[in-house]
Amino acid sequence: MKFGNPTDYGNVDLGPAAVDDIATSVKFVQDMKDSGWQLPDRFGQDEHRDTLELRNNQFQGKVAEFMVYRWLQLQGIETLKEPTIDAWKKGESDPGYDFEMKKVDGNIFRLEVKSGGEKSRNLALEVQKWGVEDGPDGTPKLKYNVPKEKVHGGRNMSPSAFVFVSVSSNFDAKNITATIASGKIIGGVYPTMVIDAIEHSTDSVNNVFPKGNRIFGKPLQVSNYVWGTRVTKQRGSKFHMINPDELFEWIFKVLRK
């Protein structure tokens, strides 16, 4: 596994996606199109988002999941299931995580994959979807606010970590075909980092980018928590992602507990 230029945050270069994974991702987008599915506010954009852009995002997201899945396999980490490829019903949201892994102690570790385009260096979480609640021991715990009845599969769980992947793809969203895709793991965040962001969201300096901000090229329709890298850290935010080395060293350690 190759690593990117150190000045570019030490990204984990995932290389090209497997041909079969690309074909499966393309079929997934087609199936989602046929089901009439739309997620109203992914990355803070509303349900009137351009259909071609929506398909591009779906493709990028699924390819990113497959690439992280293959990378975990290379590291000797088994997930309980492969990436989901069944089409969702219109209006359904994701369950809050993409992969589940069993820890040595038998507990479950959940990983959520977030993705963006080739030049994207920001992990974003919609403010309305995430909150904080008291855990069994009274300590703050990350809460996924989407109701179970609106979640694909009927399970809404908070992840143990978020990982952000930038995807370079040659994808024809109109005809739903693709010829090549590659990706890099840019970094990630722990739940405690999200909790910290939520609890300090009213500070004068924070990582909340409000509705109307143009961080993604278009005005956001809802507010987002945003983490950049140490290199591309967003102005006005004191938060940045953990680099891939730190993130996965932590994940490996947690899985062995």
Side-chain angles (χ1 to χ4, degrees), residues 77-91:
I77 297 177
E78 294 185 7
T79 61
L80 299 184
K81 291 182 180 180
E82 296 183 0
T84 57
I85 57 173
D86 55 318
W88 301 3
K89 296 177 182 177
K90 185 173 182 178

Side-chain angles (χ1 to χ4, degrees), residues 33 38 48-56 58 173:
K33 172 181 175 289
Q38 277 193 96
H48 303 297
R49 179 165 48 139
D50 180 79
T51 303
L52 299 185
E53 181 185 359
L54 176 65
R55 294 175 192 168
N56 261 303
Q58 290 172 345

Side-chain angles (χ1 to χ4, degrees), residues 166-179:
S166 67
V167 178
S168 172
S169 62
N170 181 9
F171 181 69
D172 183 342
K174 185 175 182 179
N175 298 307
I176 311 186
T177 59
T179 55

Side-chain angles (χ1 to χ4, degrees), residues 72 77-79 100-103 107-109 111 255:
L72 291 170
I77 297 177
E78 294 185 7
T79 61
E100 291 185 315
M101 294 157 271
K102 186 171 287 188
K103 297 166 56 177
N107 289 319
I108 300 299
F109 182 97
L111 184 65
L255 288 174

Side-chain angles (χ1 to χ4, degrees), residues 113-156:
V113 178
K114 294 294 184 181
S115 63
E118 180 179 10
K119 296 181 180 180
S120 181
R121 292 295 183 270
N122 299 298
L123 186 156
L125 299 176
E126 296 156 22
V127 169
Q128 63 189 14
K129 286 189 174 182
W130 301 95
V132 178
E133 61 182 353
D134 289 335
D137 59 356
T139 59
K141 176 184 175 184
L142 185 62
K143 179 184 178 183
Y144 187 51
N145 288 329
V146 179
K148 290 182 179 180
E149 58 270 20
K150 293 187 177 181
V151 169
H152 180 68
R155 296 180 67 208
N156 58 344

